[in-house]
């Protein structure tokens, strides 16, 4: 044990405690990716509250379900995820502890299937590379976004896919790119799908913010486009954000195989890997999601709640974009981006000064959580931004 050195706390998660300890009433939390209302709250969805009440009343056992978790939940997500794409029995999955568990299991499965490396755009969610490295997958990077100009670097993606070897994996954010908010256009998705298929690369699509960009249909476009062209794919799905179930850890990993006959073998591998990782996923959140999706009335309430979240984030983005640019920071682009995040062109010193002098908490990468803004706190943020970039 004495060989073990102390590790720094996860930089993003550490912000939660730093923010809580700050006593300034004007402080602004743009850190970890949770949705907030215009009053700064992260309430439990009404649809989830109702589903939980039914669970409390009706659940007659807490006995084990198995490493695959709640398959009613896993299958209930599929029509939302796949839209009109018919997998003809080639896609199935299992429940995982959050989207993180799904990415972890995907990495384990890729490695077990003989994949040695994975290509990914940067910046990305910092935990992606940690997970890949933890299981022993080598990661190769390309630039997803030029943060200074806020332009998506599609040339860099094309060059990377060109360099990749057949059998390499490639990580793609299905929508609401974390951390940049910069998503591919429909035409770019078409191109990606063609190249990935032609080069026989293995896509891992991370769909952690489904429904929070432009709605389920539009946010699933990239996923469906890739699935339509490739023989095999992995999808890491999270319900932590689109059902507001963060701490309940609700996710699923889906695998598309070349033929339906391959599914049982793949599912048995997933079950074995899950068993060795966490044995079985926690039940409560997934059961609540299943109850919502099985009930038309609750589904409608849930969709209305999601609509209002999306509308609020859109209106915050529009307000920020109306400032155009401040110092080195291009705010106009924020209006075109999707989901909870955008990344601002700021130096570590400027980010530290925003925190120390203005009580503005954002990730060290310059990532801001759009839902942390309110119409009331945006002027304070802009004032701070002007001061630190002057
Ligand atoms: C985030 O990126 O803020 C969220 O996905 C939370 C996390 O686990 O990092």
């Amino acid at each position: 044990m004495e060989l073990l050195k102390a590790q720094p706390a996860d930089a993003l998660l550490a912000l939660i405690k730093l923010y809580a300890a700050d006593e300034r009433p004007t402080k602004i939390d743009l850190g970890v990716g949770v949705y907030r209302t215009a009053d700064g709250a992260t309430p439990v969805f009404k649809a989830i509250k109702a589903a939980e009440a039914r669970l409390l009343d009706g659940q007659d056992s807490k006995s084990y379900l198995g490493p695959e978790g709640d398959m009613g939940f896993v299958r209930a997500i599929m029509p939302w995820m796949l839209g009109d794409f018919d997998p003809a029995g080639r896609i199935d999955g299992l429940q995982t502890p959050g989207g993180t568990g799904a990415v972890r299991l995907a990495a384990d499965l890729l490695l077990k299937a003989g994949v040695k490396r994975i290509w990914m755009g940067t910046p990305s969610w910092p935990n992606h590379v940690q997970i890949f490295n933890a299981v022993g997958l080598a990661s190769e990077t390309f630039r997803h976004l030029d943060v200074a100009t806020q332009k998506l670097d599609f040339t860099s993606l094309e060059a990377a896919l060109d360099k990749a070897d057949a059998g390499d994996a490639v990580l793609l954010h299905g929508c609401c790119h974390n951390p940049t908010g910069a998503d591919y256009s429909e035409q770019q998705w078409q191109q990606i799908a063609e190249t990935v298929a032609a080069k026989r690369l293995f896509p891992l699509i991370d769909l952690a913010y489904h429904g929070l960009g432009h709605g389920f249909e539009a946010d699933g476009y990239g996923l469906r486009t890739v699935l339509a062209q490739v023989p095999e794919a992995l999808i890491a799905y999270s319900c932590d954000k689109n059902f507001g179930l963060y701490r309940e850890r609700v996710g699923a990993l889906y695998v598309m195989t070349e033929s339906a006959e391959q599914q049982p073998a793949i599912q048995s591998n997933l079950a074995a890997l899950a068993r060795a990782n966490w044995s079985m996923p926690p039940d409560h959140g997934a059961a609540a999601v299943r109850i919502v999706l099985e009930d038309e009335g609750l589904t409608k309430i849930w969709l209305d709640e999601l609509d209002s979240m999306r509308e609020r984030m859109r209106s915050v983005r529009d307000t920020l974009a109306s400032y155009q640019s401040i110092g080195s920071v291009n705010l106009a682009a924020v209006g075109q981006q999707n989901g909870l995040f955008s990344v601002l062109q700021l130096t570590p010193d400027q980010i530290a000064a925003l925190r120390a002098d203005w009580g503005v908490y954002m990730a060290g990468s310059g990532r801001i959580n759009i839902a942390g803004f309110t119409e009331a706190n945006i002027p304070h943020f802009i004032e701070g931004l002007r001061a630190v970039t002057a």
Side-chain angles (χ1 to χ4, degrees):
M1 289 294 174
E2 63 271 18
L3 292 177
L4 296 179
K5 294 205 184 72
Q7 298 293 308
D10 182 279
L12 184 63
L13 301 183
L15 286 179
I16 299 172
K17 292 199 178 85
L18 290 175
Y19 176 80
D22 190 329
E23 284 173 3
R24 285 171 285 186
T26 52
K27 66 183 177 176
I28 306 178
D29 183 2
L30 307 179
V32 76
V34 295
Y35 177 76
R36 293 184 202 289
T37 62
D39 305 322
T42 305
V44 181
F45 280 39
K46 289 192 184 68
I48 289 292
K49 273 278 184 208
E52 287 182 311
R54 284 190 204 173
L55 255 182
L56 189 64
D57 250 19
Q59 194 172 49
D60 48 17
S61 174
K62 294 276 186 197
S63 175
Y64 294 125
L65 287 181
E68 70 282 7
D70 183 335
M71 285 306 288
F73 155 77
V74 172
R75 303 252 163 84
I77 294 293
M78 286 175 63
W80 294 90
M81 185 174 80
L82 299 175
D84 59 9
F85 176 76
D86 178 8
R90 292 167 54 218
I91 299 185
D92 208 354
L94 84 176
Q95 190 198 323
T96 56
T100 308
V103 173
R104 173 74 192 215
L105 212 58
D108 281 339
L109 189 76
L110 286 170
L111 199 75
K112 206 169 173 199
V115 173
K116 303 238 166 4
R117 62 178 182 174
I118 184 158
W119 295 78
M120 55 185 286
T122 57
S124 194
W125 180 50
N127 214 16
H128 278 139
V129 74
Q130 293 193 151
I131 292 173
F132 300 146
N133 293 346
V135 306
L137 266 184
S139 51
E140 296 278 352
T141 58
F142 56 89
R143 187 169 70 164
H144 175 71
L145 181 88
D146 177 350
V147 176
T149 61
Q150 293 285 318
K151 288 214 162 47
L152 205 140
D153 192 348
F154 202 69
T155 313
S156 176
L157 167 91
E158 284 180 310
L161 297 188
D162 198 47
K163 254 196 273 164
D165 293 329
D168 282 355
V170 55
L171 170 75
L172 298 163
H173 296 227
C175 67
C176 305
H177 186 273
N178 180 3
T180 69
D183 291 332
Y184 300 118
S185 68
E186 293 193 355
Q187 196 206 344
Q188 287 171 330
W189 273 116
Q190 291 285 355
Q191 247 171 285
I192 292 169
E194 277 164 32
T195 311
V196 167
K199 295 230 37 186
R200 298 200 64 87
L201 305 177
F202 201 107
L204 162 56
I205 300 174
D206 190 346
L207 203 54
Y209 296 85
H210 193 200
L212 292 169
H214 293 281
F216 284 97
E217 175 70 18
D219 291 354
Y221 180 88
L223 169 79
R224 295 193 305 273
T225 305
V226 174
L227 294 185
Q229 301 229 21
V230 297
E232 298 175 312
L234 287 166
I235 308 153
Y237 197 93
S238 175
C239 294
D240 292 344
K241 327 284 168 157
N242 57 12
F243 284 85
L245 280 160
Y246 314 93
R247 69 175 72 157
E248 301 291 357
R249 315 306 301 135
V250 187
L253 176 67
Y254 296 89
V255 184
M256 182 170 86
T257 46
E258 199 153 5
S259 71
E261 290 68 47
Q262 291 168 305
Q263 274 295 329
I266 296 300
Q267 292 302 318
S268 68
N269 274 278
L270 289 176
L273 290 168
R275 178 74 168 143
N277 271 313
W278 47 74
S279 187
M280 292 167 230
D283 177 67
H284 179 85
V289 170
R290 174 177 46 71
I291 290 171
V292 171
L293 295 180
E294 281 170 355
D295 183 294
E296 234 176 87
L298 292 185
T299 298
K300 161 108 186 44
I301 295 171
W302 164 63
L303 288 176
D304 287 348
E305 293 182 280
L306 265 182
D307 282 351
S308 65
M309 288 164 69
R310 250 197 334 267
E311 274 160 31
R312 191 180 110 64
M313 289 194 289
R314 228 3 104 198
S315 115
V316 166
R317 284 188 179 279
D318 289 346
T319 308
L320 288 171
S322 70
Y323 289 91
Q324 293 294 315
S325 69
I326 290 177
S328 56
V329 179
N330 173 350
L331 285 175
V334 172
Q336 308 303 315
Q337 295 163 348
N338 303 314
L340 255 71
F341 311 117
S342 286
V343 172
L344 306 183
Q345 167 80 354
L346 290 167
T347 64
D349 283 350
Q350 289 168 331
I351 293 167
L354 273 168
R355 190 184 306 171
D357 304 340
W358 296 86
V360 173
Y361 288 75
M362 66 171 73
S365 60
R367 186 187 85 169
I368 51 172
N369 175 6
I370 295 297
F373 289 106
T374 62
E375 291 302 325
N377 71 20
I378 289 178
H380 177 74
F381 169 72
I382 295 291
E383 210 188 325
L385 205 53
R386 281 209 177 98
V388 303
T389 56

